[in-house]
Amino acid sequence: MSGQETFTYTFTDGSYTDTVNVTISTTIATITNPMNIGVVSGEGYPVLSISGTWEGNTITGMVGNSGQVQLLHGVLFDNAIFPGTTSGGGYGPGGGNGNTQGLDVHGLEFSVSGGIEQTDVNVFTQQGVFYDIQDPNDNQIQITFDGVTPSLSSLGSNACFAEGTRIATTRGDVPVEELAKGDAVLLHGGGTAPVVWIGHRTIEPGRHARPNAVQPVLIGAHAIADNVPARDLVVSPDHAFYFNGALIPAKALVNGMTIRQVERRSVTYYHVELPAHAILLAENMPAESYLETGNRQAFENGGAAIALHPEFAQPLREAASCAPFAEHGAIVEQVRTQILERAGLETTDDAQLRVEYRADGAAIITSRSAVPAEVTPDPRDRRRLGVKIGGLMAGDEPVALDHPALAEGWHGVEADGRWTDGAALVPASLLKGRVLTVTPLKAGLRYPVMQQAAETRLTA
């Protein structure tokens, strides 16, 4: 049984605020070659559907070819996106096509109904700029998306403990890799349950199609409460923990300091199956047991062929779990507020905005930066933000915030301005030897004083 992932592209154009939802299967499929273009080999993710609105009209269906993401070769078809990536790099014909937000260079094709007419739309990227074609003369119209957000609920259900995690049993705390079938595990709230199966899998995240989906999250000792967890606890991003009647995944708890995602060249994950989905104790922290939803093949000892890039998809997870799941909302924000207060992260509203000029005539707008999902109670905005810019001047000449040359270090244009990522490039071609004047906006973002957020990814 495969899982799904949805990308929601949002954008504002004049009086319209629209969304394009693209749902893909997270099961890797072998590429077909319906157009017979040369020799095509590789693997990809089938596009299942495209929905939403375009210029106020309802999207009615997909058109175009293949509908598969293709990696590690030079030919791409229509209706292809790159889940979890921020740069298409050399995936397009000839390489280096500048894909910046997961959309392939041939684009997404869909149809919309406007009045009595049916119109086909092709949205694509070229050199990092988004365009659309929707007229018989194939005229290209540049567009700017406000954001591209993968659905938080389907980034892959790789819910496992890293090797070395101690699980509470009737014979004491036992490293997960040393558990055996029949061991009695202590349950949160009392009672015990026997181990019926231990799944394991070694992964090299750097070779995974979406490394962040499998790079482990480290929950520091005492990050939640005194002795919770009792030691540093390392789990996969989707492993859920029990808080106030709900299961919250580790990735929704990250604060960049006491709870952070770390980079590992290799990690061995284990999961513990009990007779029913339940809450056990891992390093004294209430954590879910393994929920079997048709994904045993993701484990080396699952009795089936192993997927090249295991997604650990659990599409039945919410329906079959022992407690409701929450990845955002009131209960998550309540828990995150307590974790942030306990961490004692000192913040400031001083962005330390500076303009630095390079020898080649370009300028860099530098500042402090922060990830809102780490420093605020809401875990959804995972962009690294620097300052929000309301205007730019090169000498006496305004520079449009949506100028195509403003690409490196810039997020998408919003209604009132544009965020940098803390180091935004203004090329020499725009400055032409003139002084750059920056007008920042007060956007309410607070920055870690000691820049802990810049240290959230450690190499181990």
Side-chain angles (χ1 to χ4, degrees), residues 274-297:
L274 306 177
H277 193 230
I279 308 301
L280 49 76
L281 296 172
E283 304 293 356
N284 201 38
M285 189 164 173
E288 66 170 324
S289 66
Y290 171 67
L291 176 61
E292 205 288 306
T293 54
N295 65 332
R296 284 190 194 275
Q297 72 276 9

Side-chain angles (χ1 to χ4, degrees), residues 56-110:
N57 298 311
T58 300
I59 294 173
T60 56
M62 291 194 303
V63 295
N65 303 294
S66 178
Q68 295 193 78
V69 177
Q70 298 179 58
L71 304 177
L72 305 180
H73 57 79
V75 179
L76 296 170
F77 300 138
D78 297 324
N79 289 336
I81 63 176
F82 296 101
T85 65
T86 56
S87 175
Y91 291 143
N97 286 277
N99 169 18
T100 60
Q101 293 185 334
L103 186 62
D104 96 88
V105 292
H106 284 248
L108 298 173
E109 285 195 79
F110 52 86

Side-chain angles (χ1 to χ4, degrees), residues 85-303:
T85 65
T86 56
S87 175
Y91 291 143
N97 286 277
N99 169 18
T100 60
Q101 293 185 334
L103 186 62
D104 96 88
V105 292
H106 284 248
L108 298 173
E109 285 195 79
F110 52 86
S111 57
V112 295
S113 294
I116 61 174
E117 296 183 357
Q118 187 87 355
T119 303
D120 290 342
V121 178
N122 180 18
V123 180
F124 68 100
T125 56
Q126 182 174 322
Q127 300 300 322
V129 179
F130 286 81
Y131 296 91
D132 87 87
I133 298 174
Q134 52 180 310
D135 65 76
N137 297 319
D138 285 344
N139 292 325
Q140 299 179 6
I141 302 172
Q142 183 176 335
I143 57 177
T144 301
F145 285 101
D146 298 331
V148 183
T149 306
S151 62
L152 287 178
S153 62
S154 58
L155 286 174
S157 301
N158 177 1
C160 301
F161 302 107
E163 184 176 12
T165 301
R166 299 183 307 179
I167 306 299
T169 75
T170 54
R171 59 187 179 96
D173 290 342
V174 178
V176 63
E177 65 272 19
E178 296 179 14
L179 286 176
K181 183 176 180 180
D183 279 341
V185 169
L186 301 184
L187 299 180
H188 175 66
T192 65
V195 173
V196 299
W197 183 69
I198 302 289
H200 62 85
R201 177 71 201 268
T202 298
I203 295 175
E204 295 182 17
R207 300 179 62 185
H208 194 276
R210 295 181 293 135
N212 283 347
V214 294
Q215 287 283 18
V217 171
L218 186 153
I219 303 174
H222 318 296
I224 308 300
D226 291 347
N227 207 38
V228 181
R231 301 191 312 166
D232 287 355
L233 173 59
V234 181
V235 297
S236 60
D238 283 277
H239 202 119
F241 297 92
Y242 187 76
F243 294 93
N244 304 330
L247 285 166
I248 301 176
K251 65 189 177 187
L253 303 176
V254 169
N255 63 12
M257 185 170 56
T258 59
I259 303 175
R260 60 188 188 272
Q261 192 164 35
V262 296
E263 290 184 355
R264 295 279 179 87
R265 289 184 291 272
S266 175
V267 59
T268 300
Y269 283 128
Y270 291 81
H271 218 331
V272 181
E273 185 177 19
L274 306 177
H277 193 230
I279 308 301
L280 49 76
L281 296 172
E283 304 293 356
N284 201 38
M285 189 164 173
E288 66 170 324
S289 66
Y290 171 67
L291 176 61
E292 205 288 306
T293 54
N295 65 332
R296 284 190 194 275
Q297 72 276 9
F299 298 92
E300 292 175 10
N301 59 329

Side-chain angles (χ1 to χ4, degrees), residues 42-65:
E43 296 177 322
Y45 300 89
V47 172
L48 304 178
S49 67
I50 302 175
S51 63
T53 60
W54 185 264
E55 295 186 351
N57 298 311
T58 300
I59 294 173
T60 56
M62 291 194 303
V63 295
N65 303 294

Side-chain angles (χ1 to χ4, degrees), residues 15 124 397:
S15 60
F124 68 100
E397 180 183 353

